[in-house]
Amino acid sequence: MTSNPPEFPSSHIEWDRLWQIVRTNPDDYLSWEHLIRVVESAEGGINASAPPENVTRLETVFDSFLTKFPLCFWYWKKYADWELAVHGDAGAEKIYERAVIAIRNSCELWNHYLDFKRAHSATNGEIESLFERGASCVGLDFLAHTFWDKYLDFAENRLANPQRVLQLLDRIVLIPMHQYARYYERWRAIRATLLPREALDPDTLSQFINEIRESKGDLPADKIDVYLREKMDSQTAEVYKKTQEGTNKRWVYEAEIKRPYFHVKSLDRPQLQNWNRYLDFEESMKDFARIRALYERCLVPCAQYEEFWLRYGQWLISTQRTSEAREAYGRAAFTFLPKDRCNIKIALALTFEEEGNNDEARRIYTSILETIPTHIETIQNYIHFERRTNPNAYEKLVNTYINSTQLSKAATAYFTIQYTRYLQQVNRSAVEWSYTHQYSSIERSK
């Protein structure tokens, strides 16, 4: 959030009051909403000729709010509309670009951005490039039909390219989603009017011809075309069957999703359980792109739940994507979760250590302990981290916690036992140290 708000006239009593509230308590969502309404209704309006302080206030509020709550896609849209009114196309585009980075898997946001680009004289190449960016972010969403409808409309009416329409449908019909049957029927109808050599993509056409020649021998072109039609019809039916099965399997979980968007209010337990079951199912399908897409989608309504971020990171690490896990943990720790959630920060520190960035890992441990100096899990991980990376500092550190007056007696006894075991593992005489420290610590903990 902006550290120093701009100076505004003292007569703006409501602005001053609400700004102070959200500065003091940034989690007060209702006050943020009220503050946004205040700046949007400023006397003199919000446009290119508005008083400069009106624009400055509005930008300050939106920037601060969307830093705190970046998943609120509708406020990105509102901000872009205001920037369009004040700064024109360039101003709006900057906000949309920030928006699709902050919440890259929002179909609604991508649709608004694409509508903006199509309405403001972008070239076909620029628009198609943006569509492809959107497809990489939301194309696998179960409710992506609104996005794909726009893309098909663009190919059919603005590009006027029937071949491009067919190429898009070749991709879409493979995706299990809500309106799969509608796309399939259109795809099937188009292919039925074309020769197989026109309907099939080059790789599939080559594959089918090779298979025909292997099984039937050399044939004249017209005979090959007959068998090509048979293979294409069989492929068409197989695509429908597979996509229908995939859709039906996911429908079980999709039907239970009651709130797919972000909100500060908590989700009920059945919703959380459904997301976990859905993730279990998708992981069992072993399609990396679909698994990642579902995690990113889940982490919009579940953004404030540490367990889902930890699960996502652990899955990424299991697929040898430590840097992506670090990025996910960082988003969780410093944007979405409350500052007192330590487990996600511990996980982040462990990924930094895995990547060899020990200084950053150490900084995270010490920053947690500056805020919550008695957090046992953090202390334990920090001690073991120093034992692995800096043995010379380890003994001094562990003794600091053994002799700490801030920790409970049970905690100091626990660290005493851990240290004794360490001394035994490195073949050092620990008997005398144990009698003078370990047992006395245990007695104090009783």
Side-chain angles (χ1 to χ4, degrees), residues 2 13 25 30 59 70 104 151 179 182 186 196 198 228 243 249 252 264 365 368 376 381 413 424 430 441:
T2 306
I13 298 174
N25 181 16
L30 291 178
E59 292 176 340
R104 53 196 171 204
Y151 202 168
Q179 297 191 16
R182 176 164 60 87
R186 184 176 181 184
E198 299 170 331
L228 276 175
T243 304
K249 288 176 180 178
V252 175
V264 293
Y365 286 125
I368 298 172
I376 301 302
N381 277 275
Q424 292 170 337
S441 296

mmCIF file of all heavy atoms in Angstrom, residues 2 13 25 30 59 70 104 151 179 182 186 196 198 228 243 249 252 264 365 368 376 381 413 424 430 441:
data_model
loop_
_atom_site.group_PDB
_atom_site.id
_atom_site.type_symbol
_atom_site.label_atom_id
_atom_site.label_comp_id
_atom_site.label_asym_id
_atom_site.label_seq_id
_atom_site.Cartn_x
_atom_site.Cartn_y
_atom_site.Cartn_z
ATOM 1 N N THR A 2 0.320 2.375 -0.512
ATOM 2 C CA THR A 2 1.063 3.615 -0.541
ATOM 3 C C THR A 2 1.373 4.055 0.886
ATOM 4 O O THR A 2 0.499 4.134 1.735
ATOM 5 C CB THR A 2 0.225 4.699 -1.249
ATOM 6 O OG1 THR A 2 -0.154 4.203 -2.529
ATOM 7 C CG2 THR A 2 1.030 5.966 -1.393
ATOM 8 N N ILE A 13 -13.931 15.517 4.736
ATOM 9 C CA ILE A 13 -14.039 14.834 6.028
ATOM 10 C C ILE A 13 -14.207 13.336 5.862
ATOM 11 O O ILE A 13 -13.547 12.537 6.528
ATOM 12 C CB ILE A 13 -15.213 15.417 6.846
ATOM 13 C CG1 ILE A 13 -14.960 16.892 7.127
ATOM 14 C CG2 ILE A 13 -15.407 14.622 8.131
ATOM 15 C CD1 ILE A 13 -16.124 17.594 7.800
ATOM 16 N N ASN A 25 -6.464 -0.316 9.649
ATOM 17 C CA ASN A 25 -6.903 -1.712 9.527
ATOM 18 C C ASN A 25 -7.130 -2.050 8.057
ATOM 19 O O ASN A 25 -8.252 -1.973 7.553
ATOM 20 C CB ASN A 25 -8.188 -1.935 10.330
ATOM 21 C CG ASN A 25 -8.669 -3.377 10.241
ATOM 22 O OD1 ASN A 25 -7.924 -4.273 9.842
ATOM 23 N ND2 ASN A 25 -9.930 -3.600 10.591
ATOM 24 N N LEU A 30 -15.197 -3.599 4.102
ATOM 25 C CA LEU A 30 -16.362 -2.741 3.946
ATOM 26 C C LEU A 30 -15.981 -1.270 3.892
ATOM 27 O O LEU A 30 -16.550 -0.492 3.112
ATOM 28 C CB LEU A 30 -17.360 -2.990 5.083
ATOM 29 C CG LEU A 30 -18.061 -4.351 5.068
ATOM 30 C CD1 LEU A 30 -18.975 -4.487 6.282
ATOM 31 C CD2 LEU A 30 -18.861 -4.547 3.779
ATOM 32 N N GLU A 59 -6.875 7.204 -7.881
ATOM 33 C CA GLU A 59 -5.774 6.291 -8.193
ATOM 34 C C GLU A 59 -5.109 5.781 -6.923
ATOM 35 O O GLU A 59 -4.714 4.612 -6.843
ATOM 36 C CB GLU A 59 -4.764 6.980 -9.105
ATOM 37 C CG GLU A 59 -5.322 7.253 -10.489
ATOM 38 C CD GLU A 59 -4.361 8.027 -11.383
ATOM 39 O OE1 GLU A 59 -3.440 8.678 -10.843
ATOM 40 O OE2 GLU A 59 -4.550 7.993 -12.614
ATOM 41 N N PRO A 70 -5.901 -8.176 -4.545
ATOM 42 C CA PRO A 70 -5.682 -8.224 -6.006
ATOM 43 C C PRO A 70 -6.616 -9.156 -6.756
ATOM 44 O O PRO A 70 -6.664 -9.105 -7.987
ATOM 45 C CB PRO A 70 -4.225 -8.704 -6.111
ATOM 46 C CG PRO A 70 -3.993 -9.480 -4.856
ATOM 47 C CD PRO A 70 -4.772 -8.758 -3.798
ATOM 48 N N ARG A 104 -4.671 -13.923 -13.141
ATOM 49 C CA ARG A 104 -4.498 -14.378 -14.522
ATOM 50 C C ARG A 104 -5.532 -15.411 -14.955
ATOM 51 O O ARG A 104 -5.652 -15.686 -16.145
ATOM 52 C CB ARG A 104 -3.090 -14.944 -14.696
ATOM 53 C CG ARG A 104 -2.706 -16.008 -13.682
ATOM 54 C CD ARG A 104 -1.209 -16.225 -13.687
ATOM 55 N NE ARG A 104 -0.786 -17.088 -12.587
ATOM 56 C CZ ARG A 104 0.434 -17.075 -12.090
ATOM 57 N NH1 ARG A 104 1.337 -16.256 -12.586
ATOM 58 N NH2 ARG A 104 0.759 -17.882 -11.106
ATOM 59 N N TYR A 151 -13.412 -15.877 -28.829
ATOM 60 C CA TYR A 151 -12.314 -16.196 -29.737
ATOM 61 C C TYR A 151 -12.864 -16.694 -31.078
ATOM 62 O O TYR A 151 -12.409 -16.287 -32.156
ATOM 63 C CB TYR A 151 -11.402 -17.245 -29.092
ATOM 64 C CG TYR A 151 -9.988 -17.294 -29.641
ATOM 65 C CD1 TYR A 151 -9.006 -18.026 -28.972
ATOM 66 C CD2 TYR A 151 -9.616 -16.628 -30.816
ATOM 67 C CE1 TYR A 151 -7.698 -18.087 -29.451
ATOM 68 C CE2 TYR A 151 -8.318 -16.686 -31.301
ATOM 69 C CZ TYR A 151 -7.364 -17.418 -30.618
ATOM 70 O OH TYR A 151 -6.074 -17.485 -31.095
ATOM 71 N N GLN A 179 -20.035 -26.534 -21.580
ATOM 72 C CA GLN A 179 -20.790 -26.537 -22.830
ATOM 73 C C GLN A 179 -20.046 -27.274 -23.950
ATOM 74 O O GLN A 179 -20.099 -26.878 -25.114
ATOM 75 C CB GLN A 179 -21.127 -25.102 -23.235
ATOM 76 C CG GLN A 179 -22.022 -24.419 -22.207
ATOM 77 C CD GLN A 179 -22.597 -23.109 -22.693
ATOM 78 O OE1 GLN A 179 -22.598 -22.801 -23.884
ATOM 79 N NE2 GLN A 179 -23.108 -22.312 -21.753
ATOM 80 N N ARG A 182 -22.004 -28.336 -27.278
ATOM 81 C CA ARG A 182 -22.294 -27.303 -28.281
ATOM 82 C C ARG A 182 -21.123 -27.140 -29.244
ATOM 83 O O ARG A 182 -21.314 -27.023 -30.467
ATOM 84 C CB ARG A 182 -22.603 -25.992 -27.562
ATOM 85 C CG ARG A 182 -22.836 -24.813 -28.483
ATOM 86 C CD ARG A 182 -23.505 -23.668 -27.733
ATOM 87 N NE ARG A 182 -22.715 -23.188 -26.614
ATOM 88 C CZ ARG A 182 -21.767 -22.245 -26.725
ATOM 89 N NH1 ARG A 182 -21.472 -21.731 -27.911
ATOM 90 N NH2 ARG A 182 -21.118 -21.830 -25.659
ATOM 91 N N ARG A 186 -20.827 -28.250 -33.457
ATOM 92 C CA ARG A 186 -20.358 -27.311 -34.494
ATOM 93 C C ARG A 186 -19.145 -27.882 -35.219
ATOM 94 O O ARG A 186 -19.043 -27.798 -36.448
ATOM 95 C CB ARG A 186 -20.030 -25.966 -33.853
ATOM 96 C CG ARG A 186 -19.629 -24.897 -34.857
ATOM 97 C CD ARG A 186 -19.402 -23.555 -34.185
ATOM 98 N NE ARG A 186 -19.040 -22.545 -35.167
ATOM 99 C CZ ARG A 186 -18.698 -21.291 -34.859
ATOM 100 N NH1 ARG A 186 -18.704 -20.903 -33.584
ATOM 101 N NH2 ARG A 186 -18.365 -20.446 -35.801
ATOM 102 N N PRO A 196 -11.588 -35.097 -45.911
ATOM 103 C CA PRO A 196 -10.655 -35.348 -44.813
ATOM 104 C C PRO A 196 -9.331 -34.594 -44.974
ATOM 105 O O PRO A 196 -8.772 -34.104 -43.989
ATOM 106 C CB PRO A 196 -10.447 -36.858 -44.877
ATOM 107 C CG PRO A 196 -11.721 -37.382 -45.462
ATOM 108 C CD PRO A 196 -12.147 -36.347 -46.456
ATOM 109 N N GLU A 198 -8.936 -31.741 -46.086
ATOM 110 C CA GLU A 198 -9.168 -30.342 -45.727
ATOM 111 C C GLU A 198 -9.452 -30.188 -44.232
ATOM 112 O O GLU A 198 -9.108 -29.166 -43.626
ATOM 113 C CB GLU A 198 -10.363 -29.796 -46.506
ATOM 114 C CG GLU A 198 -10.188 -29.805 -48.013
ATOM 115 C CD GLU A 198 -11.477 -29.490 -48.755
ATOM 116 O OE1 GLU A 198 -12.573 -29.798 -48.221
ATOM 117 O OE2 GLU A 198 -11.384 -28.941 -49.861
ATOM 118 N N LEU A 228 -9.702 -42.622 -45.203
ATOM 119 C CA LEU A 228 -9.499 -41.413 -44.392
ATOM 120 C C LEU A 228 -10.814 -40.950 -43.776
ATOM 121 O O LEU A 228 -10.859 -40.542 -42.612
ATOM 122 C CB LEU A 228 -8.911 -40.287 -45.249
ATOM 123 C CG LEU A 228 -7.403 -40.276 -45.457
ATOM 124 C CD1 LEU A 228 -7.012 -39.163 -46.439
ATOM 125 C CD2 LEU A 228 -6.659 -40.085 -44.131
ATOM 126 N N THR A 243 -14.325 -36.618 -24.242
ATOM 127 C CA THR A 243 -14.617 -35.319 -23.635
ATOM 128 C C THR A 243 -15.862 -35.387 -22.765
ATOM 129 O O THR A 243 -15.929 -34.780 -21.695
ATOM 130 C CB THR A 243 -14.773 -34.244 -24.724
ATOM 131 O OG1 THR A 243 -13.597 -34.218 -25.536
ATOM 132 C CG2 THR A 243 -14.970 -32.866 -24.103
ATOM 133 N N LYS A 249 -17.193 -36.603 -15.189
ATOM 134 C CA LYS A 249 -16.417 -36.866 -13.979
ATOM 135 C C LYS A 249 -16.191 -35.587 -13.179
ATOM 136 O O LYS A 249 -16.217 -35.600 -11.943
ATOM 137 C CB LYS A 249 -15.076 -37.501 -14.343
ATOM 138 C CG LYS A 249 -15.179 -38.943 -14.822
ATOM 139 C CD LYS A 249 -13.815 -39.470 -15.245
ATOM 140 C CE LYS A 249 -13.909 -40.914 -15.737
ATOM 141 N NZ LYS A 249 -12.595 -41.430 -16.194
ATOM 142 N N VAL A 252 -19.343 -33.601 -11.077
ATOM 143 C CA VAL A 252 -19.626 -33.950 -9.680
ATOM 144 C C VAL A 252 -19.075 -32.885 -8.741
ATOM 145 O O VAL A 252 -19.733 -32.468 -7.774
ATOM 146 C CB VAL A 252 -19.021 -35.325 -9.342
ATOM 147 C CG1 VAL A 252 -19.205 -35.650 -7.861
ATOM 148 C CG2 VAL A 252 -19.631 -36.416 -10.216
ATOM 149 N N VAL A 264 -13.735 -11.938 1.193
ATOM 150 C CA VAL A 264 -13.080 -12.004 2.502
ATOM 151 C C VAL A 264 -13.826 -12.917 3.471
ATOM 152 O O VAL A 264 -13.254 -13.362 4.469
ATOM 153 C CB VAL A 264 -12.937 -10.592 3.119
ATOM 154 C CG1 VAL A 264 -11.961 -9.756 2.314
ATOM 155 C CG2 VAL A 264 -14.290 -9.896 3.232
ATOM 156 N N TYR A 365 13.438 -16.739 8.201
ATOM 157 C CA TYR A 365 13.353 -17.281 9.567
ATOM 158 C C TYR A 365 13.467 -16.167 10.605
ATOM 159 O O TYR A 365 12.665 -16.090 11.542
ATOM 160 C CB TYR A 365 14.443 -18.315 9.803
ATOM 161 C CG TYR A 365 14.214 -19.646 9.130
ATOM 162 C CD1 TYR A 365 15.170 -20.196 8.281
ATOM 163 C CD2 TYR A 365 13.045 -20.375 9.347
ATOM 164 C CE1 TYR A 365 14.964 -21.418 7.660
ATOM 165 C CE2 TYR A 365 12.831 -21.593 8.735
ATOM 166 C CZ TYR A 365 13.792 -22.118 7.892
ATOM 167 O OH TYR A 365 13.591 -23.330 7.282
ATOM 168 N N ILE A 368 10.379 -13.888 10.825
ATOM 169 C CA ILE A 368 9.256 -14.495 11.564
ATOM 170 C C ILE A 368 9.494 -14.353 13.064
ATOM 171 O O ILE A 368 8.596 -13.962 13.829
ATOM 172 C CB ILE A 368 9.097 -15.989 11.207
ATOM 173 C CG1 ILE A 368 8.778 -16.181 9.734
ATOM 174 C CG2 ILE A 368 7.977 -16.625 12.062
ATOM 175 C CD1 ILE A 368 8.793 -17.643 9.291
ATOM 176 N N ILE A 376 7.421 -22.188 17.993
ATOM 177 C CA ILE A 376 8.280 -23.362 18.136
ATOM 178 C C ILE A 376 8.661 -23.972 16.788
ATOM 179 O O ILE A 376 9.825 -24.333 16.566
ATOM 180 C CB ILE A 376 7.605 -24.425 19.028
ATOM 181 C CG1 ILE A 376 7.316 -23.837 20.418
ATOM 182 C CG2 ILE A 376 8.487 -25.661 19.136
ATOM 183 C CD1 ILE A 376 8.544 -23.328 21.138
ATOM 184 N N ASN A 381 12.798 -25.252 12.829
ATOM 185 C CA ASN A 381 13.283 -25.246 11.446
ATOM 186 C C ASN A 381 14.510 -24.357 11.284
ATOM 187 O O ASN A 381 15.427 -24.690 10.524
ATOM 188 C CB ASN A 381 12.167 -24.786 10.507
ATOM 189 C CG ASN A 381 11.217 -25.910 10.140
ATOM 190 O OD1 ASN A 381 11.459 -26.678 9.215
ATOM 191 N ND2 ASN A 381 10.123 -26.011 10.887
ATOM 192 N N ALA A 413 13.106 -27.819 27.339
ATOM 193 C CA ALA A 413 13.464 -29.226 27.541
ATOM 194 C C ALA A 413 13.522 -29.955 26.201
ATOM 195 O O ALA A 413 14.418 -30.780 25.965
ATOM 196 C CB ALA A 413 12.449 -29.895 28.464
ATOM 197 N N GLN A 424 25.433 -36.599 20.347
ATOM 198 C CA GLN A 424 25.688 -38.044 20.229
ATOM 199 C C GLN A 424 25.950 -38.447 18.774
ATOM 200 O O GLN A 424 26.799 -39.290 18.499
ATOM 201 C CB GLN A 424 24.494 -38.821 20.790
ATOM 202 C CG GLN A 424 24.330 -38.665 22.297
ATOM 203 C CD GLN A 424 23.025 -39.236 22.815
ATOM 204 O OE1 GLN A 424 22.064 -39.370 22.044
ATOM 205 N NE2 GLN A 424 22.976 -39.549 24.101
ATOM 206 N N ALA A 430 28.529 -36.538 25.381
ATOM 207 C CA ALA A 430 27.370 -35.746 25.782
ATOM 208 C C ALA A 430 26.867 -36.113 27.162
ATOM 209 O O ALA A 430 25.899 -35.548 27.647
ATOM 210 C CB ALA A 430 26.247 -35.944 24.771
ATOM 211 N N SER A 441 16.514 -29.520 32.863
ATOM 212 C CA SER A 441 15.459 -28.894 32.073
ATOM 213 C C SER A 441 14.159 -29.659 32.176
ATOM 214 O O SER A 441 13.080 -29.093 32.292
ATOM 215 C CB SER A 441 15.895 -28.797 30.599
ATOM 216 O OG SER A 441 17.006 -27.942 30.478
#
